[in-house]
Amino acid sequence: MDGGATLLRALLRALLLAHTGWEAAAITLTKNSSSDFLVGRDIILSVSYPAGQDPFITWKINGAVLVIWDKVIIRQDGKYVGRLNVTNGSLLISNSTRNDSGDYTVSASVPGEADSLVAFPVNIYDPVTNASVLQSPDAVGEGTPAVNLTCSASSGAVTYTWTRDEQSLPANGSYVTLDGGKTLQISQPNRSYSGSYSCNVSNPVDWKSATRMLNVSYSDAAQSLSGGAIAGIVIGSVFGAILLITLIVLVIFCIRKRRKGKKEKTPAAPHKIAIRTVSGTTLSPDDPAYFTLNNIMYRSSSISMGSYVMNSGDNTSDRFRSPTNSSPSFPPSQPKVKHATQV
């Protein structure tokens, strides 16, 4: 029956063309829907045409006839029985599966007019599930060469987009995406890169988001400094050490110079010398200090001046003794005073 109707339509069209000798303008068939769908959902491929026209509709998938419709379904692929329907030329496939993906085309024709053809490249996607972000290495400090944040999902992943603290990533050269956007690599991270990083896993009909908090440690003071700052500290430390050594040497020099000056001003240490009398007798420096007429004593380095009583004659004790009396007698005359110097 459907073959006869199709044949009849083709015959009528041929007769019209033979009688009039011209080809009518093609029917206007408009595509009114997208061709991306989520697995398990209904596939709706919608078309429209001018009112008053009664086109003959043929749907195909990958070049094979799927269904022929002329107000009613005339023919359809047996694999779609119970899931397929046509309404005003638009196609409906319920409970879609991944096998329903393919290149769909629809043609519309009426007697005396050229066919109109519209293509629908249908894509069936799995829902996005179990989105997550992994970090490598787990511990990141300032000075770490790079840290990788990798986004993954169990199914449905097609595209990956990254944000930081719900803002687009700045284009500063430190952020690089790898593996088609799946991995975000941050080079030379410092404390300013700490924050909440989110990955949006999506396909044209579904999406999920996963977040990872990145903490860049800066407890190590050496790591928190740049190369230039470290070089400056090293140079400053060297100059500081040189200055400290110079100061110590200068202080030592000044102390030694001061001590040397004191030594030059201080008299030489006392020294004892042997004292020789005029008569040739050598006296010890430890003998009592006294002067006689014939003895001049030189003491240690101090000098003293004094007056001493000197007799003109023999000053020994025997001179003052009388022959008959053991008691000494004193000279009758006034003794002469002589001055002597003690050294």
Side-chain angles (χ1 to χ4, degrees), residues 52-64:
Q53 292 184 330
D54 186 18
F56 185 80
I57 301 294
T58 302
W59 283 94
K60 295 181 180 181
I61 179 173
N62 299 326

Side-chain angles (χ1 to χ4, degrees), residues 247-264:
L247 182 60
I248 293 173
V249 172
L250 182 60
V251 170
I252 294 174
F253 175 77
C254 292
I255 294 174
R256 295 186 65 179
K257 185 176 180 181
R258 185 175 179 182
R259 289 180 177 176
K260 184 177 180 181
K262 286 184 177 180
K263 288 181 179 180
E264 291 177 353

